[in-house]
Amino acid sequence: QVQLVESGGGLVQAGGSLRLSCAASRRTFSSEAMGWFRQAHGKEREFVAAISWSGGSTKYTNSVKGRFTISRDNAKNTVYLQMNSLKPEDTAVYYCNANLYYGDYVVSPSDYWGQGTQVTVSS
């Protein structure tokens, strides 16, 4: 059973930064791709960023490119999302996903989700 625990959310002014963390209790963490998704109020959950098992490959949705950075520390079973230059439209609950599949044209999340962490960006 995978347990994913997100942390690091909060309230920040536009232009500010936050770093989200997702701690995974899963022995196979270091061999799995990890991802971040978000869901704004009244909207569908959307893909934000993904990272390969080694950290050598990353993928971002266009709206966060150049502002967000996904990284991982396999020794700590943790994946991070550094969010800079935050905008009000980044306001959402951010979810971690383990063992997702992604390629050039597709992102397919697994059934392994964390509980989410709220990010609120004020204007």
Side-chain angles (χ1 to χ4, degrees):
Q1 184 72 20
V2 178
Q3 183 174 8
L4 303 172
V5 179
E6 299 98 333
S7 62
L11 173 64
V12 64
Q13 289 188 333
S17 298
L18 285 173
R19 189 176 82 153
L20 306 184
S21 299
C22 171
S25 58
R26 183 173 173 88
R27 291 183 178 181
T28 54
F29 172 86
S30 62
S31 63
E32 296 173 338
M34 297 291 295
W36 287 96
F37 293 73
R38 66 186 179 187
Q39 187 168 18
H41 183 67
K43 296 186 177 181
E44 293 186 354
R45 193 170 298 187
E46 65 173 357
F47 169 74
V48 177
I51 188 167
S52 64
W53 66 271
S54 67
S57 169
T58 58
K59 182 181 180 70
Y60 299 92
T61 192
N62 286 339
S63 62
V64 308
K65 285 181 180 177
R67 300 189 299 122
F68 290 11
T69 302
I70 188 170
S71 62
R72 65 190 298 159
D73 186 338
N74 286 344
K76 296 182 178 180
N77 274 25
T78 302
V79 62
Y80 305 97
L81 186 68
Q82 178 67 44
M83 305 186 295
N84 299 328
S85 302
L86 282 162
K87 304 176 181 180
E89 51 263 43
D90 295 318
T91 295
V93 178
Y94 283 71
Y95 297 91
C96 179
N97 185 256
N99 200 26
L100 79 163
Y101 172 80
Y102 72 95
D104 288 343
Y105 305 106
V106 64
V107 175
S108 180
S110 72
D111 293 332
Y112 304 120
W113 297 96
Q115 84 288 349
T117 185
Q118 176 71 49
V119 171
T120 303
V121 184
S122 63
S123 58

